[in-house]
Amino acid sequence: MLQRIRNAPPRYWLVAVVILFFVGWPTVISSFQTSEWSQAIILAIAIMGLNILVGYSGQLSLGHGAFMALGAYTSAILAHRYKMDYIVTIPIAGLLTGIVGFLFGVPALRLSPLYLALATFALAVVTPSLIKRPDELTGGVQGISLAPPDPPQFASDTFSAVTGAPMTSDQWIYYVTLAFALVLFWLAWNLVRHRAGRAMRAIRDGEVAASASGINIAGYKTLAFGISALYAGIAGSLFGLATSFVSPDTFPVSLSIQILVGAVIGGLASIPGPLVGGIFAYFLPIESNQWVPTQTWIPSQIAATVVKAGPAVSYGVVLILIMIFAPNGIVGLVTTGYTRLRRRLRGAAEREAGQMPPDPQTIS
Amino acid sequence: MQGLTQQVISGIATGGIFASLALALVLIYNAMGLVNFAQGEMAMLATFVAFTLIDHGMSYWIAFPLTLVIAFAGGILIQRIVIRPVERAPVLTMVIVTLGLATLVNGLAGFIFGYVPRSFPSPFSVQTVDILGAFVSYRDLGVIGVSAVVLLAIYLLLQRTTVGLTLRAAAHHPEASRLLGVRVSWMLALGWGLASAVGAVSGIMAAPILLLEPNMMQTIIIYAFAAAVLGGIESPLGAVVGGVIVGVTVNLAGTYLPFVGGDLQLAVALAIIVGVLVLKPNGLFGRPSVRRV
Amino acid sequence: MAALLEMEDVRAGYGPTSVLHGISLSVPEGEIVSLLGANGAGKTTTLRAITSGVHWSGHIRFGGKSLSKMRTEDVVRAGIAHVPEGRGILTELTVEENLKLGSHLRRDGAAVRKDYERVFEYFPVLRERRHLSASTLSGGEQQMLAVARALLMRPRLMLLDEPSLGLAPMIVRAIFEIIKTINQTDRVAILLVEQNARLALEISSQAYVLEVGRVAIKGASAELKGNESVRRSYLGY
């Protein structure tokens, strides 16, 4: 056992450090900031879902906001109308959304990637109006308000033992979110490493060849859709928990774009990518919003418009630049940089042996 | 019966708006096999340009063509700067780039012009005229007229001029066209310029009805997707026919089907998109041809 | 006097695979030159190098000017017409539109009209089918269209890649007759890649035989035709 720990590759240590960081983080930041980080992690979960679909199985969906909405409303309705414990509703919402996603995957098989993008984009735009309609169930335009849960005794005790202050609701929500995130990321990592993941990647890289090797294309593609939707559903459900409120206007098309931006920036077809992407996509607009008004040399009217428009402009520019210069996102840049550094450190020996540089993973 | 005729003609007018934007999508699809998700936002920005010109005293009928020229130039610029670097990339990458472009243009419009909705002038009054017993507004007739003129002009350009011929050649057979001395790369830019100009028409026609603000075209683009998909994404004629059908259908559904009402009209467009793609992916006029690269 | 087209020590390939290992040839003004050899010898790649369809190194000069770093369409605009393997017919367009793409760069309206008349004289079937889609033409008719289109370009040099491929012997004869006529009437130089060595040697004045990316034999066509051992070992007849 000790031997295995000592022989574990450096990557495993990095993961352990990251996990420790996230577990300990709320103890040093304010409760409000903790709730922001919850939302970033929630975004990361949704992005992980999209990543499974786009990065690993090559199907482009622009409608993940819609799946988040489904998850959020499922939980909200179960908790609000049927008085279920919110935490219990989360996996239910995820499962329901996953099944819906799986069913979506069936007609999606017949669509070329471009048409799939088109159809899911339309879905994302239509989602708010679809939510508003059955207003008996969904609360219509006004949405559903939820009471923030109190932390259970064991959690609060542990927390105050460490920090000396009682745990707030926001902090409890953060740990619930983190728990789900850890499980989901671990599942994704396993999925990718084993047969299903390899099958999906084979499909992404060339359907004809994959089908020739006997892979059940339809099966894996719909499976990818279902799993991807499940992640988005759980993310949506957690989102409702974190904001204590769901309404049609909290799921506009820009949410789907935000998820895509996060996936691309972080790096498609990678496991750490979604986490990086989620943090980046969530905090970029907020930081620029907070930074701009503090710059006194910017007149307040302009500042107000920049605050409103800035995120969109920066998202757009970043998306374009990344696609042109770094299609594998930040993680891709880091991995390629690291590989190049290693090669240079290892010296000329490998080059003389005529080794070809490894192909970066690309989306097809 | 009166009401029906009115709704149909009104639907044809909105259909003209959809058809123009759909035609822009078709032009770019034919050139690159790509759906330009930023088409609506580009049209919106062009409409803001028109607004600025008119606001500064220019007459509508001078600002209109001038805006088309500016939009044309803008389309070429966008192709040269943003699209060309990723020309050889896989389709998904290009889709993401156009999404980035859409976000960027939307934000830019918000940044420059703000988010307060403005009213946009129309040269056609809303007064109605009696046609076949139905009261049809001059505005609807005007929109139909302008759309028809623009669509006809594009048709003549593509089918009857040498430039149009080289454009079509470059779009369908880039390698073979190079061997005939066609500057394929510039033809692509030209295609984007044309698409941008045609899309601008859609925006200028829509603005008096919808009120001009940065998010104005976000629903129109969905209707335009429906029109293009219905007509066959490769067919300019399909874009026109598809536009009219979508316009009329959505209008009638909104008026006569109680469960659709005003707010679920967009869902009708979604239903059309999904229905066509699942049942007859090539649309009405598309051919199941293999695209040669 | 320098030849119209000069290739010196040209190397070319696709990715890591090298196909041409140093080709040198020249096409004099107004002459027909054959490029012969077995499949895979590099004949098509040679033509592709000239019109920049493949990366090449070495020297290629047309009318004294280097073609290095030029894009395909610019090489063509300099006066080279290339009828590729597969003929390069734009099947989404009509026959007439294909022809128009041949003449679209020219400014001499009256001469263009005359050339159209000649083209329809040589290939009457093109006049009959002018408004039909080019995809409705048979293989032989497409080859005629390709040659007609190249003629309309009024090039100084024509590159023909296997014009006889897949065509019935009678049609091949007809096309080769017309190629000879074009060369004589318009003084167009032609670099002709052919598997059918006998036909090629009949109409050309000079010939190069490629073998595995190098020039194995070169000389006057008449001599090569008469040399039995060359014919047996290199030309297969």
Side-chain angles (χ1 to χ4, degrees):
Chain A
M1 171 75 176
L2 218 54
Q3 190 73 309
R4 273 179 64 198
I5 293 182
R6 231 172 311 140
N7 287 341
R11 208 182 300 166
Y12 284 41
W13 287 108
L14 186 61
V15 170
V17 167
V18 169
I19 293 179
L20 275 175
F21 167 79
F22 276 101
V23 170
W25 193 226
T27 58
V28 295
I29 56 176
S30 78
S31 182
F32 174 70
Q33 285 173 315
T34 305
S35 75
E36 289 194 312
W37 278 86
S38 297
Q39 296 204 42
I41 296 179
I42 289 171
L43 199 57
I45 295 177
I47 293 174
M48 184 78 245
L50 186 66
N51 191 14
I52 289 176
L53 195 59
V54 181
Y56 287 108
S57 88
Q59 305 176 77
L60 182 59
S61 157
L62 299 172
H64 264 47
F67 287 130
M68 275 185 78
L70 182 58
Y73 268 89
T74 307
S75 276
I77 292 171
L78 287 176
H80 180 77
R81 270 183 141 221
Y82 299 100
K83 311 294 180 211
M84 286 179 76
D85 183 327
Y86 200 92
I87 309 277
V88 174
T89 68
I90 298 179
I92 298 179
L95 200 60
L96 180 71
T97 314
I99 293 176
V100 171
F102 185 84
L103 295 174
F104 259 74
V106 176
L109 288 173
R110 306 188 51 171
L111 305 181
S112 74
L114 194 61
Y115 284 153
L116 184 61
L118 205 156
T120 51
F121 185 79
L123 176 65
V125 174
V126 173
T127 293
S129 15
L130 285 177
I131 296 176
K132 283 183 205 161
R133 204 16 116 74
D135 52 0
E136 275 261 328
L137 193 62
T138 64
V141 174
Q142 292 166 332
I144 303 177
S145 292
L146 304 156
D150 287 319
Q153 200 57 42
F154 77 88
S156 195
D157 288 341
T158 325
F159 196 75
S160 39
V162 173
T163 62
M167 187 188 255
T168 65
S169 190
D170 280 337
Q171 287 159 336
W172 166 236
I173 293 174
Y174 173 90
Y175 282 108
V176 171
T177 304
L178 186 63
F180 272 99
L182 285 173
V183 170
L184 289 173
F185 267 69
W186 181 77
L187 278 176
W189 183 63
N190 271 301
L191 176 73
V192 164
R193 275 193 331 160
H194 292 121
R195 182 152 56 134
R198 283 202 298 272
M200 286 182 200
R201 259 175 301 170
I203 294 174
R204 173 198 74 195
D205 291 334
E207 272 192 39
V208 178
S211 108
S213 344
I215 295 179
N216 179 359
I217 307 258
Y220 280 109
K221 280 175 94 163
T222 41
L223 184 68
F225 231 103
I227 294 177
S228 173
L230 185 144
Y231 275 64
I234 292 185
S237 181
L238 288 167
F239 181 72
L241 180 66
T243 55
S244 304
F245 180 61
V246 293
S247 87
D249 292 323
T250 50
F251 300 101
V253 64
S254 50
L255 177 61
S256 292
I257 304 282
Q258 193 180 24
I259 298 174
L260 180 68
V261 169
V264 166
I265 289 179
L268 289 163
S270 77
I271 296 294
L275 183 60
V276 173
I279 295 175
F280 190 90
Y282 182 77
F283 283 109
L284 174 64
I286 295 189
E287 291 312 305
S288 63
N289 274 11
Q290 289 177 345
W291 177 78
V292 166
T294 65
Q295 305 302 302
T296 49
W297 53 272
I298 303 178
S300 59
Q301 270 171 324
I302 297 191
T305 328
V306 169
V307 160
K308 223 179 159 190
V313 175
S314 42
Y315 268 177
V317 170
V318 164
L319 208 50
I320 293 175
L321 289 178
I322 292 226
M323 280 292 109
I324 296 177
F325 296 111
N328 291 320
I330 291 179
V331 171
L333 278 177
V334 168
T335 341
T336 329
Y338 177 63
T339 323
R340 277 210 203 115
L341 189 67
R342 253 181 42 197
R343 276 221 315 270
R344 202 169 298 170
L345 289 178
R346 291 252 186 90
E350 278 182 12
R351 254 178 278 141
E352 276 164 12
Q355 257 192 6
M356 292 278 288
D359 278 322
Q361 281 184 317
T362 48
I363 52 173
S364 67
Chain B
M1 198 48 208
Q2 269 184 5
L4 186 61
T5 317
Q6 244 162 271
Q7 290 302 327
V8 169
I9 296 186
S10 200
I12 296 180
T14 34
I17 296 176
F18 302 156
S20 301
L21 197 58
L23 182 59
L25 292 172
V26 168
L27 285 174
I28 290 190
Y29 183 83
N30 268 327
M32 315 180 62
L34 166 70
V35 169
N36 179 13
F37 281 82
Q39 203 72 59
E41 305 305 308
M42 286 164 67
M44 174 270 297
L45 191 62
T47 312
F48 266 107
V49 168
F51 177 83
T52 314
L53 293 174
I54 296 177
D55 211 35
H56 279 78
M58 201 180 277
S59 118
Y60 182 97
W61 290 111
I62 299 185
F64 190 133
L66 184 57
T67 303
L68 295 193
V69 171
I70 296 176
F72 179 80
I76 291 186
L77 227 89
I78 289 180
Q79 197 274 342
R80 293 273 103 182
I81 299 179
V82 173
I83 304 296
R84 203 156 57 129
V86 290
E87 227 168 34
R88 299 202 184 272
V91 160
L92 290 186
T93 306
M94 290 202 285
V95 167
I96 294 177
V97 167
T98 61
L99 282 170
L101 187 63
T103 319
L104 170 61
V105 171
N106 185 291
L108 208 61
F111 181 72
I112 302 177
F113 298 101
Y115 287 89
V116 178
R118 304 161 205 251
S119 68
F120 190 92
S122 165
F124 310 110
S125 73
V126 276
Q127 280 184 320
T128 58
V129 64
D130 192 333
I131 294 189
L132 306 175
F135 290 101
V136 180
S137 75
Y138 278 114
R139 180 188 282 173
D140 281 347
L141 290 177
V143 169
I144 295 178
V146 170
S147 305
V149 167
V150 168
L151 297 172
L152 186 64
I154 295 289
Y155 171 79
L156 290 175
L157 178 75
L158 286 181
Q159 295 294 125
R160 298 252 186 276
T161 66
T162 311
V163 169
L165 177 61
T166 49
L167 242 172
R168 283 184 294 134
H172 293 292
H173 305 275
E175 287 313 312
S177 298
R178 273 188 246 269
L179 287 177
L180 295 166
V182 173
R183 294 216 165 100
V184 170
S185 194
W186 276 111
M187 287 300 116
L188 243 52
L190 191 65
W192 272 77
L194 267 183
S196 177
V198 173
V201 172
S202 178
I204 295 177
M205 293 289 108
I209 307 175
L210 293 179
L211 291 184
L212 178 60
E213 50 98 13
N215 293 323
M216 173 180 83
M217 295 301 277
Q218 271 178 13
T219 51
I220 308 261
I221 186 109
I222 302 295
Y223 291 118
F225 281 164
V229 162
L230 178 61
I233 192 91
E234 293 184 329
S235 163
L237 177 64
V240 175
V241 172
V244 171
I245 294 180
V246 170
V248 172
T249 308
V250 164
N251 219 19
L252 292 182
T255 316
Y256 295 110
L257 295 180
F259 74 84
V260 172
D263 48 333
L264 276 193
Q265 284 180 313
L266 202 55
V268 174
L270 176 64
I272 293 178
I273 292 176
V274 173
V276 171
L277 287 181
V278 170
L279 297 174
K280 197 177 191 304
N282 292 310
L284 295 173
F285 297 98
R287 277 148 307 154
S289 54
V290 179
R291 281 201 88 247
R292 291 180 54 215
V293 178
Chain C
M1 192 183 64
L4 180 63
L5 177 77
E6 282 177 342
M7 295 177 74
E8 252 178 61
D9 197 34
V10 172
R11 288 159 204 282
Y14 304 94
T17 335
S18 196
V19 176
L20 301 181
H21 306 297
I23 302 269
S24 299
L25 63 82
S26 66
V27 180
E29 194 89 52
E31 299 286 327
I32 303 184
V33 172
S34 312
L35 195 54
L36 310 170
N39 265 332
K43 313 189 296 289
T44 297
T45 311
T46 308
L47 294 190
R48 285 220 189 114
I50 298 172
T51 50
S52 253
V54 68
H55 286 303
W56 56 269
S57 63
H59 300 278
I60 302 184
R61 276 182 294 272
F62 179 67
K65 280 210 285 240
S66 166
L67 292 185
S68 139
K69 300 211 196 308
M70 281 177 73
R71 271 182 300 203
T72 304
E73 49 263 47
D74 296 318
V75 172
V76 170
R77 280 169 180 242
I80 301 182
H82 181 170
V83 178
E85 238 183 338
R87 299 164 205 132
I89 300 295
L90 284 70
T91 49
E92 291 282 326
L93 307 180
T94 65
V95 169
E96 173 134 50
E97 287 171 333
N98 269 272
L99 290 172
K100 274 217 203 115
L101 283 169
S103 62
H104 83 277
L105 290 170
R106 290 170 61 181
R107 298 272 163 265
D108 46 342
V112 171
R113 277 191 290 279
K114 270 214 209 112
D115 282 339
Y116 268 92
E117 279 311 308
R118 281 176 59 202
V119 156
F120 290 137
E121 244 184 75
Y122 295 154
F123 306 114
V125 69
L126 294 182
R127 193 202 298 264
E128 284 162 29
R129 304 248 179 150
R130 67 201 289 185
H131 298 299
L132 297 179
S133 161
S135 60
T136 62
L137 298 181
S138 72
E141 290 162 350
Q142 284 192 357
Q143 187 63 272
M144 295 180 194
L145 176 57
V147 172
R149 197 175 57 185
L151 190 169
L152 283 169
M153 289 170 77
R154 277 290 184 140
R156 290 169 68 191
L157 171 66
M158 227 189 257
L159 308 175
L160 297 175
D161 199 337
E162 308 239 18
S164 72
L165 195 61
L167 301 187
M170 257 180 56
I171 304 195
V172 170
R173 288 225 156 270
I175 290 182
F176 269 67
E177 272 308 307
I178 293 171
I179 291 176
K180 208 160 64 166
T181 313
I182 294 176
N183 164 254
Q184 284 164 352
T185 320
D186 297 334
R187 305 300 297 148
V188 177
I190 299 182
L191 182 55
L192 174 67
V193 161
E194 254 304 334
Q195 282 252 39
N196 186 335
R198 188 161 28 153
L199 260 177
L201 287 177
E202 262 173 46
I203 72 169
S204 59
S205 57
Q206 292 176 28
Y208 292 78
V209 182
L210 289 190
E211 208 177 41
V212 198
R214 289 198 175 80
V215 175
I217 300 244
K218 64 179 181 200
S221 302
E223 278 173 32
L224 288 169
K225 231 185 336 179
N227 187 328
E228 258 207 53
S229 70
V230 163
R231 273 170 42 203
R232 288 262 173 71
S233 0
Y234 290 101
L235 305 178
Y237 74 103

